[in-house]
Amino acid sequence: MANVVVVGAQWGDEGKGKIVDWLSERADVIARFQGGHNAGHTLVIDGKVYKLSLLPSGLLREGKLAVIGNGVVLDPWAFVEELAKLRGQGVNIDTHNLMIAENASLILPIHGELDRAREAVNSIARIGTTGRGIGPAYEDKVGRRAIRVADLADEKTLDLRIARLLTHHNALRNGLGLEKIDPAALKAQLLEIAPRILPFAAPVWKVLNEKRKAGKRILFEGAQGSLLDVDFGTYPFVTSSTTTAGMAASGTGVGPGAIDFVLGIVKAYTTRVGEGPFACELFDEVGEHLGTVGREKGTVTGRSRRCGWFDAVLVRQTCAISGVNGIAFTKLDVLDGLKELKICVGYMMDGERLDYLPTAADQQARVEPIYETMKGWSESTVGARSWNDLPAEAIKYVRRVEELIDCSVAMLSTSPERDDTILVTDPFAD
C-alpha cells in the first residue's frame, strides 16, 4: 500500500490541517514527525471549528491510529490541555487511537522561559519565535541532555537527566539574570504530569513498521513549512527542526523506502509569520485583501501573517528539496475578485537574474522579484468540487503555477470545509 508524506512547501500556514484530515480518510495511521505545539492547524468539519497544535489531525477521523513520532518535541502540559479541549468537543481520544514515541524529547517550562528571555534581550535580530520553547528543547536534544518520555517512568533515571540538564540551564539563566531552577521542584512537576503521559507511550518505530508490513496505509504529517527548515530555510529566521520530507523517516523510525508519495501543500499566494526576508511581501490594498479574506492570523499565536504574491521560485525550490510528487493547492478562493494577479518568476540581484533563492542572508534580503502578470476573475471559486466549477481564468492561473514550479496539482482546495476539494491524483493510489 502507498504511504504519503505531507509537507508545507512555503513558510507554513498553507492549509496542511485540512488536507491531512481529508487524506486521513484513506489512511490507517497518521504520524506526526517533527515540530512541537508551535504548529497550528485549523479544521472546519460540518461548520464546527477544531484547532490543533500538537496532536495529529487524523484524530478527527474515527477508526484511525494517530502517533506522535520521536522527531516531535512534546510539551506534556500542552498535550494534556489540547487533549482535554478536543475531548470537550466530542472527539474520542484514548490509548487505542493515540500513541507517543517513547524516545520523544520533552519541552519543559524552563524551555519556554528561556525562549522568551532570549528573544527579549535580542533586540538587534529577533528570530520571531512563538516563545513556546521549541528551539531550546531541540538544543537540549542535540546536546544530549534532554528528558525524554521514557525517562518519566523511572525516578533514578529522571534524577540523572535533571541534574545534567540543569548544569547547563542554570548557567544560561545566570547569564540572563533569571533565577536558578530547583531540581526538586522540576522533578515534582514531571512526576505529577507523568501518569497522564505514560499511558500513551509506545515504541512507535516498531508499531509503524508492523503496520507497514501488514499493508496498512501511513500518512506522515509535517508541521511548519519547508522555508522554515533549519538547513534549507531563510536561516536564521527558521524553526529548529527539519521540515522537509526526508524527516518523515527519521522522525518516526521507518526507513526512507516507506515513503511512496510526497505531497507539498502550496497556498495560492504567499504568507509568513515573524521576522525574515520576504521578497514578494505586499504593503498595499492587495496585501490587505489577502490578509482579510484569507483570515491570515496564526492559529497558535494570533499574530497577523505577512502577505504577498505567489512566489514560484521558492515553491519550485522546496518541491525539489523534498522530492514533491504533487501539490495540494489551497486558498484559491482568496484570489476571487482581484482584477490582476502577479506571480514571481525570478529574482534580480545586483543586475543578475536568479532562478533560486540564494543561501546567504544578505543576498536573500536584497533580491527583487520579477513578476509575470495574469488576468484575475470575478466569479466565486468557493466550494468548487470539480474543474467545471472553476472560472477559466482560475484554471489558467493553476496551470501556469504548475508550469513554473515544475510540479502538478494533485489536489485543489476551495474552502476550509473538508469536502470542498478537487481530487486530481490520489496520493494513496498504488
Side-chain angles (χ1 to χ4, degrees), residues 197-309:
I197 304 298
L198 287 172
F200 296 95
V204 160
W205 68 270
K206 185 174 184 293
V207 172
L208 291 182
N209 279 280
E210 288 172 350
K211 294 288 185 182
R212 186 186 171 211
K213 287 179 182 178
K216 302 299 183 182
R217 289 175 168 176
I218 304 172
L219 180 63
F220 298 93
E221 177 184 2
Q224 289 92 39
S226 297
L227 290 167
L228 294 175
D229 184 84
V230 70
D231 287 316
F232 294 102
T234 48
Y235 191 90
F237 305 102
V238 293
T239 193
S240 298
S241 62
T242 297
T243 59
T244 52
M247 186 64 186
S250 59
T252 58
V254 300
I259 299 170
D260 300 297
F261 193 98
V262 178
L263 182 70
I265 314 301
V266 178
K267 189 154 34 181
Y269 49 100
T270 311
T271 63
R272 82 169 298 176
V273 174
E275 308 297 326
F278 185 177
C280 296
E281 186 171 8
L282 295 172
F283 301 95
D284 57 10
E285 64 277 5
V286 175
E288 186 176 343
H289 169 94
L290 297 176
T292 302
V293 178
R295 297 185 179 91
E296 296 296 350
K297 284 190 179 293
T299 301
V300 171
T301 64
R303 291 184 293 182
S304 294
R305 299 177 186 132
R306 300 155 64 190
C307 299
W309 293 118

Side-chain angles (χ1 to χ4, degrees), residues 93-386:
I93 306 173
D94 213 325
T95 54
H96 72 283
N97 66 344
L98 176 62
M99 291 181 181
I100 302 172
E102 296 171 321
N103 53 340
S105 297
L106 299 181
I107 301 174
L108 308 176
I110 60 174
H111 291 130
E113 193 174 356
L114 176 62
D115 201 357
R116 294 185 292 273
R118 290 198 299 206
E119 280 284 272
V121 299
N122 193 9
S123 59
I124 297 174
R126 288 193 176 98
I127 301 300
T129 75
T130 60
R132 299 197 165 200
I134 280 75
Y138 274 116
E139 289 174 37
D140 284 340
K141 176 179 178 177
V142 175
R144 295 167 293 183
R145 55 180 172 265
I147 296 173
R148 306 199 294 181
V149 171
D151 298 332
L152 297 176
D154 182 73
E155 281 197 49
K156 289 184 179 180
T157 300
L158 193 57
D159 286 334
L160 291 173
R161 297 287 187 267
I162 290 173
R164 180 173 174 81
L165 180 74
L166 294 189
T167 298
H168 174 80
H169 272 270
N170 278 334
L172 275 179
R173 294 172 69 86
N174 182 57
L176 289 166
L178 301 174
E179 291 184 7
K180 284 188 175 182
I181 296 296
D182 176 16
L186 177 57
K187 180 181 177 181
Q189 283 183 294
L190 290 169
L191 290 178
E192 182 183 14
I193 198 74
R196 306 181 73 177
I197 304 298
L198 287 172
F200 296 95
V204 160
W205 68 270
K206 185 174 184 293
V207 172
L208 291 182
N209 279 280
E210 288 172 350
K211 294 288 185 182
R212 186 186 171 211
K213 287 179 182 178
K216 302 299 183 182
R217 289 175 168 176
I218 304 172
L219 180 63
F220 298 93
E221 177 184 2
Q224 289 92 39
S226 297
L227 290 167
L228 294 175
D229 184 84
V230 70
D231 287 316
F232 294 102
T234 48
Y235 191 90
F237 305 102
V238 293
T239 193
S240 298
S241 62
T242 297
T243 59
T244 52
M247 186 64 186
S250 59
T252 58
V254 300
I259 299 170
D260 300 297
F261 193 98
V262 178
L263 182 70
I265 314 301
V266 178
K267 189 154 34 181
Y269 49 100
T270 311
T271 63
R272 82 169 298 176
V273 174
E275 308 297 326
F278 185 177
C280 296
E281 186 171 8
L282 295 172
F283 301 95
D284 57 10
E285 64 277 5
V286 175
E288 186 176 343
H289 169 94
L290 297 176
T292 302
V293 178
R295 297 185 179 91
E296 296 296 350
K297 284 190 179 293
T299 301
V300 171
T301 64
R303 291 184 293 182
S304 294
R305 299 177 186 132
R306 300 155 64 190
C307 299
W309 293 118
F310 185 82
D311 192 331
V313 181
L314 290 181
V315 176
R316 182 172 63 244
Q317 188 165 324
T318 58
C319 284
I321 290 168
S322 276
V324 171
N325 301 104
I327 68 168
F329 205 45
T330 66
K331 290 201 167 185
L332 183 67
D333 53 295
V334 176
L335 302 181
D336 292 355
L338 294 176
K339 294 180 180 179
E340 184 178 270
L341 305 173
K342 292 183 179 181
I343 301 177
C344 177
V345 297
Y347 302 128
M348 290 298 296
M349 188 187 71
D350 303 334
E352 179 185 0
R353 179 167 178 147
L354 300 178
D355 63 355
Y356 69 100
L357 183 69
T359 299
D362 67 307
Q363 294 179 350
Q364 290 180 353
R366 295 206 318 273
V367 297
E368 295 290 336
I370 300 169
Y371 286 121
E372 180 178 292
T373 302
M374 298 187 69
K375 185 180 178 182
W377 56 89
S378 57
E379 306 95 320
S380 173
T381 63
V382 176
R385 298 186 181 182
S386 74

